[in-house]
Amino acid sequence: MWGNKRRRSIIQLFTLWFFVLALVPTLLVIYATAKYLTLQTVAWANRYLTQIAFDESRDISLSLKNILGEDEFFFSFQGDMIIATKDGLAKRIDLAQLAPLLPVEPEPEQIFAPKFLFGFGYQPKLRLREKPAIYLEDSNGSTLHLAGEEEELLSREGLLLKAFGLKENLEVSVPVPGTNLKVNVRASVGGFLKEPLQQLCVPLGGTFILVILLSTLLYPLAAAQIVYPLKNLADRLSCFDPAKKENSFSSKIYQTSELAEIASSFDRMALRVRETMSELEQKVKELEEKNKLLDQAQRRLEWLASYDPLTGVLNRRSFMERCLYLLKEEEGEFPYVATLMMDVDNFKTINDTYGHPVGDMVLKKVGELLRQQVRKDDLVGRYGGDEFVLFFLINQVEEFNALAQRIFASLCSALASMSELKMTVSVSMGGAIARRFLIEKGSDLEQLIDLSDQLLLESKRQGKKTVKTQYVEKLP
């Protein structure tokens, strides 16, 4: 007797479990069908509202042109009036003069939906509870009501829309040609979905009841032949560890040939998984090495794109870009901008006498010394050949003069004491400083650099190995 009660309890438990297994996919089918219908209805409604908005914008554009007789008016709202302004003149337009297009209720067959849902011959129909609300909006965001009313959303409809992941309202906006206005058409999504979803309840409800009855009757056979063996197979699959080389899916314990074949397939799959994992581990190591080399190459390319490879200072393009960035980033903090041009005296003679390797050594040493001499926020770039350019943001004109003299003296001293060069190397410099507000764009900065270059030429004409600076009140 105790055994019979226990057996009945087990049967009831598994009957309930099988019922749940049948109920869940049924509910998913019902949900998917309802969501499909809602998405199709919303897509149709969006097309319907878009057509209304286009028709309305076209009619309003024609009405405004007929009333005003010309284009290029600026429109705004004042109460229920539209104010059109142009060249200081203003005209008032009554809302009734626009003759707005009132949307008509669409025909039921316009909605796209399955004609034979679940074999019941069901085709949902569409009726609108309220006409869409139409507004006119100006460029300031002010709106003017033209037609229709916004429908209030019920709480249960709000829950339904959240379940389907839909917004509460549909809104379409279309500009009115030749004006600064646009037409907004709004309607409640719930107003579109109510009738189709209500009609969907009958066929889906019948399907739901039919599935419940079939699941209850077919459970004993399904449990013995499918449910229990699949559960056993699932347990073995969940315990599968590719690192362990053991046979977890023996086909001998399954009575049906189909499940035995599935178990054998899982066993073959486990072998391929182990082999694939070993190959993947090797490929991951190779990929990590390649990524490391690629990252190094990318950093090298980024450096070469911004810096001169010989001297280690910025190239001309990057120098100009960073100067303009600093001018924008540090705006208002420094009242003066200064540039300093310099080159190596008699550099062509050095190349011709000692060869280009020695000339490159001189340029490399100059670049290294310049990087050491400038301040943290100053910039150094190679302008071309043996010419270098420096950029400064300065508080006072005297500060720039002292800075240029210090850099010039340090550079000459360091070059004169170079043991590896058996020659005398000197430099000449020219610098210009101007008010910050004069340098607004790249062409202004180039003019300031050109002035520095002219001062550099004057330094060379005065005997070389000199520095000349000048305050510029205005750019050429």
Side-chain angles (χ1 to χ4, degrees):
M1 183 176 178
W2 169 251
N4 291 336
K5 289 183 178 180
R6 185 177 181 182
R7 191 179 300 110
R8 282 197 301 269
S9 300
I10 294 175
I11 292 175
Q12 291 174 356
L13 179 62
F14 278 101
T15 302
L16 178 63
W17 175 246
F18 187 77
F19 172 75
V20 172
L21 289 178
L23 179 64
V24 170
T26 304
L27 292 176
L28 290 176
V29 170
I30 292 174
Y31 174 78
T33 304
K35 185 167 184 178
Y36 169 78
L37 181 59
T38 59
L39 293 178
Q40 293 295 334
T41 304
V42 170
W44 174 88
N46 191 63
R47 295 194 298 271
Y48 170 64
L49 297 181
T50 301
Q51 187 60 48
I52 292 175
F54 272 107
D55 292 344
E56 185 75 2
S57 67
R58 180 195 59 201
D59 287 0
I60 290 175
S61 177
L62 293 175
S63 298
L64 290 175
K65 188 172 183 180
N66 290 334
I67 294 170
L68 299 173
E70 54 181 324
D71 296 330
E72 298 183 0
F73 278 86
F74 182 81
F75 297 91
S76 59
F77 303 141
Q78 189 177 59
D80 290 337
M81 303 290 290
I82 301 176
I83 308 300
T85 58
K86 180 180 180 182
D87 299 331
L89 299 177
K91 295 183 180 181
R92 295 175 177 268
I93 302 172
D94 191 355
L95 188 61
Q97 293 179 271
L98 294 182
L101 174 67
L102 297 178
V104 297
E105 184 172 347
E107 295 296 329
E109 59 270 14
Q110 288 180 280
I111 178 69
F112 174 77
K115 292 185 178 180
F116 300 100
L117 191 62
F118 295 122
F120 290 99
Y122 167 74
Q123 183 180 18
K125 307 298 181 183
L126 179 67
R127 296 183 182 88
L128 299 180
R129 294 188 298 189
E130 298 289 344
K131 296 190 181 300
I134 304 176
Y135 295 88
L136 199 59
E137 182 179 340
D138 62 14
S139 56
N140 295 322
S142 302
T143 58
L144 192 63
H145 180 261
L146 296 182
E149 296 292 338
E150 289 199 49
E151 187 175 359
E152 184 177 353
L153 186 69
L154 301 177
S155 58
R156 62 177 179 273
E157 293 176 354
L159 293 175
L160 181 66
L161 295 179
K162 289 181 180 179
F164 290 138
L166 299 174
K167 297 180 179 179
E168 295 181 356
N169 295 299
L170 281 177
E171 182 170 354
V172 175
S173 179
V174 173
V176 179
T179 72
N180 62 306
L181 303 175
K182 59 182 178 180
V183 174
N184 295 333
V185 182
R186 291 200 293 265
S188 170
V189 176
F192 286 102
L193 297 180
K194 182 177 181 181
E195 294 257 352
L197 290 179
Q198 284 180 345
Q199 298 172 46
L200 190 66
C201 292
V202 175
L204 290 183
T207 304
F208 179 66
I209 295 173
L210 180 62
V211 169
I212 292 176
L213 292 176
L214 290 176
S215 63
T216 304
L217 295 174
L218 296 177
Y219 167 73
L221 178 62
Q225 299 295 324
I226 301 174
V227 176
Y228 299 152
L230 282 179
K231 185 177 183 302
N232 178 270
L233 190 60
D235 291 339
R236 292 174 177 270
L237 186 61
S238 63
C239 297
F240 170 66
D241 185 359
K244 297 180 180 180
K245 298 181 179 180
E246 58 183 18
N247 186 3
S248 303
F249 306 101
S250 176
S251 60
K252 298 180 180 179
I253 62 175
Y254 300 104
Q255 298 178 357
T256 59
S257 59
E258 291 82 2
L259 289 176
E261 181 62 27
I262 292 175
S264 298
S265 299
F266 275 129
D267 197 32
R268 292 191 296 271
M269 178 199 69
L271 179 60
R272 290 195 297 271
V273 167
R274 294 188 183 100
E275 295 174 351
T276 304
M277 284 186 63
S278 178
E279 295 176 359
L280 285 176
E281 288 176 357
Q282 182 62 31
K283 289 182 178 180
V284 166
K285 292 180 181 179
E286 295 176 358
L287 186 60
E288 288 176 350
E289 291 296 327
K290 291 180 179 179
N291 286 337
K292 185 177 179 181
L293 295 175
L294 184 62
D295 185 57
Q296 293 174 354
Q298 183 177 359
R299 288 198 297 269
R300 176 62 179 170
L301 287 175
E302 290 174 353
W303 187 88
L304 289 175
S306 300
Y307 290 87
D308 176 52
L310 176 63
T311 62
V313 300
L314 293 170
N315 58 36
R316 184 169 179 171
R317 178 184 59 81
S318 295
F319 175 81
M320 297 297 291
E321 290 177 352
R322 298 200 184 187
C323 287
L324 295 175
Y325 173 79
L326 280 180
L327 286 171
K328 181 180 179 181
E329 190 72 15
E330 305 290 341
E331 187 172 1
E333 293 190 19
F334 299 92
Y336 296 95
V337 175
T339 57
L340 186 65
M341 291 286 292
M342 65 142 291
D343 67 1
V344 180
D345 295 333
N346 303 315
F347 184 71
K348 184 177 184 305
T349 303
I350 294 175
N351 272 338
D352 294 341
T353 304
Y354 300 98
H356 287 281
V358 175
D360 290 346
M361 184 189 306
V362 172
L363 294 179
K364 184 176 181 181
K365 186 64 176 180
V366 170
E368 178 184 345
L369 293 173
L370 286 176
R371 293 199 309 271
Q372 295 172 357
Q373 292 298 321
V374 296
R375 302 168 304 180
K376 177 181 178 182
D377 294 329
D378 299 336
L379 297 177
V380 183
R382 186 179 179 184
Y383 208 67
D386 63 323
E387 283 189 322
F388 293 83
V389 59
L390 290 81
F391 174 86
F392 310 95
L393 294 175
I394 303 294
N395 283 317
Q396 297 178 356
V397 176
E398 294 77 9
E399 179 185 351
F400 172 60
N401 295 332
L403 183 61
Q405 291 291 342
R406 179 181 63 79
I407 294 176
F408 175 74
S410 299
L411 205 60
C412 289
S413 176
L415 290 174
S417 61
M418 288 178 59
S419 58
E420 61 270 26
L421 296 179
K422 298 178 181 179
M423 70 187 81
T424 300
V425 179
S426 63
V427 295
S428 298
M429 292 185 177
I433 182 170
R435 286 281 186 178
R436 174 69 169 271
F437 62 83
L438 295 176
I439 313 299
E440 296 181 350
K441 52 186 182 295
S443 59
D444 299 332
L445 181 60
E446 289 177 354
Q447 288 183 353
L448 189 64
I449 293 175
D450 289 341
L451 290 174
S452 300
D453 197 31
Q454 294 174 15
L455 292 169
L456 171 61
L457 293 177
E458 290 184 18
S459 297
K460 286 185 170 294
R461 284 195 292 266
Q462 292 177 4
K464 302 181 181 179
K465 198 177 181 181
T466 57
V467 57
K468 185 176 181 62
T469 61
Q470 180 180 335
Y471 171 66
V472 181
E473 293 186 355
K474 64 178 182 179
L475 297 176

